[in-house]
Amino acid sequence: MQVDDQDPNLSTFCQVGGLSRQDQHIMAKVAVYIRPLLPLLTDRFYEVLAEEPSIRPYIEGRVEHLKKTHVVWLNSLFAGDYGPEFIQRQEKIGETHVRVRVPPLFVAASMAFLRGALPPVLAANIPNAQDAIAATASLLRLLDLCQYLIDRKYAEVLMDNLGISPALLVRLQTVGKGTTAKTL
Amino acid sequence: MREDQIKSILTDLNGRSASIEASALISKDGLVLTSALPGQMDEDRVSAMVAALLSLGDRTAAELSCGQLEQTLVTGSHGHILIVHAGPQAVLCAIANKTAKLGLLFLDVKYAAQAAAALLQ
């Protein structure tokens, strides 16, 4: 991983999560087997979304556009380049979700779908079993990374809209939940 | 030295009226700069919430075209919390009981905030 030294939280994520250059290598290596299958996976994904009443209003009338965007994003997971541009793309998604009012639930649910749907695709289509196992582990780490980056930016933008600085947000998150004695 | 001076501003403020029970000077990021709060209050919690309230007040005033925020007043069944800017980097919070005369409270807190802001510059 090309981790920004100025981003200690991301460094921690990569360190604990085990993201490394090995992930870049294996994802780029297996991309040739998986990329042709990604549009089909996106179709399945949007079929599932369309069946969910709470999500349908967010996608109605623009499914084809969203599918194209989703396939591009899925392809980026197999690009083997997870440097600053990759990170910025995830953050852009978080910013966009605040603007168009897509709640974090949808990101979590979408990632859960992919965590379930993609590993069997990798297992069935990567000829070398060891590569398939390694790529599955890398993919799951990358999905977690994407969710972290999207959700982090979502929270940052939302708080910024409310005038809450990152430092104040940390204070609000870390102060105890005990009752302040005085009742006003 | 400066902390003592700021502390004395808060002590003076608390002494101006029996209705003012506590006060604190807080950074915009929710850190306590100095406080004159009763011991049973958790100043970390109070300071973070106060800074957040003022930030929300700033955004709300701007959003509703009310101009620059002057103060945020929270009134409960037992008293008031008045929050004002004390310069660009700090917030003054005063807690008063229900007997407080609001006009006097606003003035006392405003002057205290101006004095604190001058010291923080």
Side-chain angles (χ1 to χ4, degrees):
Chain A
M1 281 293 295
Q2 302 159 20
V3 174
D4 184 354
D5 291 341
Q6 303 303 311
D7 191 337
N9 289 337
L10 189 54
S11 297
T12 300
F13 183 95
C14 292
Q15 182 69 26
V16 174
L19 277 159
S20 70
R21 292 193 183 280
Q22 287 294 101
D23 296 298
Q24 296 176 257
H25 176 70
I26 190 66
M27 293 304 277
K29 183 179 177 184
V30 304
V32 65
Y33 306 114
I34 304 303
R35 281 189 157 154
L37 307 167
L38 294 178
L40 284 174
L41 186 73
T42 291
D43 286 343
R44 268 180 55 203
F45 176 56
Y46 275 88
E47 283 169 16
V48 171
L49 293 184
E51 288 169 10
E52 174 52 47
S54 65
I55 294 181
R56 203 180 301 130
Y58 290 85
I59 62 173
E60 264 175 353
R62 52 197 201 107
V63 169
E64 290 311 310
H65 170 72
L66 291 170
K67 278 184 180 178
K68 281 179 189 165
T69 306
H70 193 255
V71 170
V72 169
W73 177 79
L74 280 177
N75 270 286
S76 76
L77 296 176
F78 294 88
D81 180 0
Y82 312 113
E85 286 182 17
F86 178 84
I87 291 167
Q88 282 167 16
R89 283 199 296 274
Q90 312 315 312
E91 292 178 335
K92 186 76 181 170
I93 293 170
E95 287 175 12
T96 303
H97 283 188
V98 175
R99 196 176 66 247
V100 301
R101 299 177 185 183
V102 172
L105 164 67
F106 292 3
V107 173
S110 301
M111 294 298 183
F113 172 89
L114 293 173
R115 286 186 191 100
L118 268 168
V121 174
L122 270 58
N125 293 280
I126 298 171
N128 182 305
Q130 290 301 317
D131 283 352
I133 291 169
T136 298
S138 295
L139 173 74
L140 294 176
R141 282 193 281 269
L142 283 167
L143 290 175
D144 286 344
L145 174 67
C146 291
Q147 186 172 352
Y148 169 64
L149 292 169
I150 293 167
D151 286 349
R152 183 176 71 165
K153 180 55 77 175
Y154 182 96
E156 280 175 15
V157 173
L158 193 61
M159 289 300 111
D160 187 56
N161 287 348
L162 296 173
I164 308 288
S165 69
L168 178 53
L169 181 59
V170 169
R171 297 278 305 153
L172 289 166
Q173 287 168 333
T174 53
V175 291
K177 206 184 169 189
T179 53
T180 296
K182 187 171 174 64
T183 306
L184 283 170
Chain B
M1 179 66 179
R2 191 168 59 156
E3 189 182 342
D4 290 341
Q5 289 174 300
I6 295 173
K7 183 90 176 177
S8 82
I9 291 171
L10 297 187
T11 308
D12 287 350
L13 174 64
N14 292 7
R16 283 208 189 139
S17 163
S19 65
I20 299 178
E21 298 184 341
S23 58
L25 194 68
I26 296 156
S27 76
K28 286 282 177 69
D29 289 335
L31 292 165
V32 179
L33 300 174
T34 188
S35 69
L37 298 173
Q40 73 270 28
M41 285 190 191
D42 180 340
E43 66 176 28
D44 286 337
R45 274 171 56 73
V46 171
S47 59
M49 289 189 287
V50 163
L53 268 175
L54 197 71
S55 295
L56 283 170
D58 277 330
R59 291 300 165 109
T60 307
E63 194 70 27
L64 300 179
S65 302
C66 287
Q68 188 105 14
L69 181 77
E70 293 182 1
Q71 62 184 34
T72 298
L73 177 68
V74 177
T75 298
S77 56
H78 295 102
H80 310 280
I81 306 161
L82 181 60
I83 307 164
V84 299
H85 287 289
Q89 297 301 327
V91 174
L92 179 65
C93 166
I95 298 167
N97 63 35
K98 201 69 177 176
T99 66
K101 304 287 184 202
L102 282 180
L104 278 176
L105 178 67
F106 292 166
L107 276 178
D108 287 340
V109 172
K110 182 179 172 183
Y111 292 144
Q114 287 171 348
L119 280 173
L120 290 172
Q121 273 184 343

